[in-house]
Amino acid sequence: MQFYYDAQLKVARELFHKTQYDIAISILDEEIPKLEEKQNYKSLGEYLNLKIACLINKGDIQAVQPLLDQLKHYLLISGHEDLQLNYLYHSANFFYYSGDLEHSIEYNLKALELLEATPSHRYYPAVCHNLSGCYILLKELEKAYYYSEKIYPIMLAAKHEQPIMYMHYMNTHACYLFELHRYEESYKLLKDILDHPLLKQNSKQYATTINNMGVYYARTNQYEKAEQCFTEAWEILTEMSDNQLKSRILNTIIESYEVMENYKKAYEYARVKNELLESEESRRQLERLHEFALNTSKEALNLLAYTDNVTQLYNRHYFEEEAEKWFSEALSTDTPLCCALFDIDDFKQTNDQYGHLIGDQILRQIGEEARKFYRAGKLFIARYGGDEFIILSKEPALFKQTIEHLFHTLQAIEVMTEDGYLMFTISLGAVIVEDLSDFTVSMVIQKADEELYSVKRNGKNALRVV
């Protein structure tokens, strides 16, 4: 009889991987009462485990709570360790999708404590993955990456034996690399998934991978390729019934089109999302993007006035307009404001020695790299004048990550001259002002300027944050 239950569970799992959740649930529901009657708690745990996964992927979070109560009941009766792990793992998922990240982390850490002695257990990568997801939402990027990195070697080893699991976790790891601005590493991971011979057999992972490649292209200013990827990903998704996956991918597509400042496309996808979910959040997003889309033509006309023609970054005039708005918003919401100024060390001597054409080439390459770090509404970068650049953000964690990555990225730029490759260094000064009540935006910028000149006085080629 156990063979029969195992066979039914295998069928339900295959349906789950094909995103046919309702059919999978009907099979599970037919067998669960029989398992209860036989007090087969091990199989009951497996069946409830899969049913909860189906409900979560369907987005039916409220239906999960009664099943967690059942799991807890069976755990108290049997004391079975697998049931304890099932309960902790799915409780963590329930809290995560209910928006309670604090309790999700608590339950995941309890599960991880049980699993640390057996990292080969199938739950170990899932729990680490869940912790990464919580910390990414809390913008604690280093913690998110830490837990993702713990399972990286396990997933590499699973590439051929467990290809779906491998694709899932590698896609997630690539997303964390995006947030850390490690774009080339993320590209290599995604390319490896795209080359996997079994990828196209799993629509969910195929759509996710193509979408993530689109995000990579959007973040690295390859907009045409990004749009091709988003179109292809959505074509795959339209044939699927997984609304949670559709919503998640629609969010990344909309966000990417906002980064690309293509508000008409962002609005089109927001309409699709609103029709799919009909939630208050999606309605507000739709209204906001509709306003942006209506103003796109006007913004296109103003773009030349707002953009520096050498670096293609925003210019000082536009920065000063936006900085006042950002300062007012941060002051009214009692949130920090972060500002950084950086310039090229000994730029005048470089211009004198190699000429202004080489100087402009350096500025263009700085602009090309700096644009990759721009985040609409989160992080603003502009040319402030001459060889000086300015960064503004309302998110300290993102700000610190960005200035560190940008500092090292710019140091690696090489410019070809008649004498060979030329490299340069930069100096960067930054401030994070927690309490703006005694400040103006000019005072915040002045403090960043003071830190920049402190770096200059102490030998240049350094980064200083206070």
Side-chain angles (χ1 to χ4, degrees), residues 13-21 201-203 240-241:
R13 278 203 181 112
E14 287 172 357
L15 290 165
F16 170 81
H17 288 305
K18 292 176 181 177
T19 70
Q20 296 179 24
Y21 304 124
Q201 294 180 24
N202 187 283
S203 299
M240 297 169 62
S241 60

Side-chain angles (χ1 to χ4, degrees), residues 102-276:
E102 183 181 340
H103 278 99
S104 181
I105 289 171
E106 179 189 338
Y107 276 79
N108 274 311
L109 288 174
K110 285 178 180 177
L112 191 61
E113 190 177 340
L114 292 175
L115 291 164
E116 285 291 6
T118 55
S120 59
H121 194 288
R122 63 189 176 90
Y123 269 139
Y124 183 83
V127 170
C128 288
H129 169 72
N130 289 350
L131 282 166
S132 293
C134 290
Y135 285 120
I136 203 84
L137 288 175
L138 293 170
K139 302 193 184 306
E140 296 185 41
L141 302 183
E142 293 296 345
K143 284 185 179 178
Y145 186 73
Y146 167 76
Y147 284 106
S148 185
E149 190 74 5
K150 280 172 80 77
I151 57 173
Y152 184 72
I154 300 172
M155 291 303 100
L156 281 180
K159 182 175 181 178
H160 298 295
E161 291 181 3
Q162 296 175 290
I164 305 305
M165 186 183 289
Y166 161 79
M167 293 168 195
H168 173 69
Y169 288 116
M170 289 297 104
N171 264 306
T172 306
H173 197 68
C175 291
Y176 298 148
L177 290 170
F178 288 151
E179 297 305 318
L180 294 168
H181 306 297
R182 293 162 63 171
Y183 297 121
E184 295 314 311
E185 291 176 64
S186 65
Y187 175 79
K188 288 175 183 175
L189 274 186
L190 294 171
K191 188 71 171 63
D192 195 48
I193 301 170
L194 284 171
D195 290 340
H196 199 290
L198 300 179
L199 175 64
K200 292 187 179 180
Q201 294 180 24
N202 187 283
S203 299
K204 182 175 181 177
Q205 292 306 320
Y206 188 34
T208 302
T209 309
I210 294 292
N211 175 70
N212 286 342
M213 189 61 90
V215 175
Y216 163 78
Y217 286 130
R219 295 280 185 98
T220 54
N221 303 317
Q222 301 178 65
Y223 295 159
E224 189 175 333
K225 289 182 178 179
E227 189 158 353
Q228 289 171 357
C229 287
F230 293 144
T231 301
E232 184 177 353
W234 186 244
E235 284 174 356
I236 299 166
L237 284 170
T238 53
E239 303 299 320
M240 297 169 62
S241 60
D242 190 336
N243 285 348
Q244 189 176 6
L245 177 65
K246 286 181 180 178
S247 175
R248 189 164 64 244
I249 287 185
L250 280 169
N251 277 335
T252 62
I253 292 174
I254 293 164
E255 183 181 321
S256 295
Y257 274 120
E258 287 194 78
V259 168
M260 294 153 65
E261 297 187 347
N262 187 339
Y263 295 113
K264 286 185 177 179
K265 278 287 185 183
Y267 173 66
E268 287 174 17
Y269 280 103
R271 284 183 63 186
V272 174
K273 179 186 169 186
N274 189 55
E275 290 168 6
L276 181 71

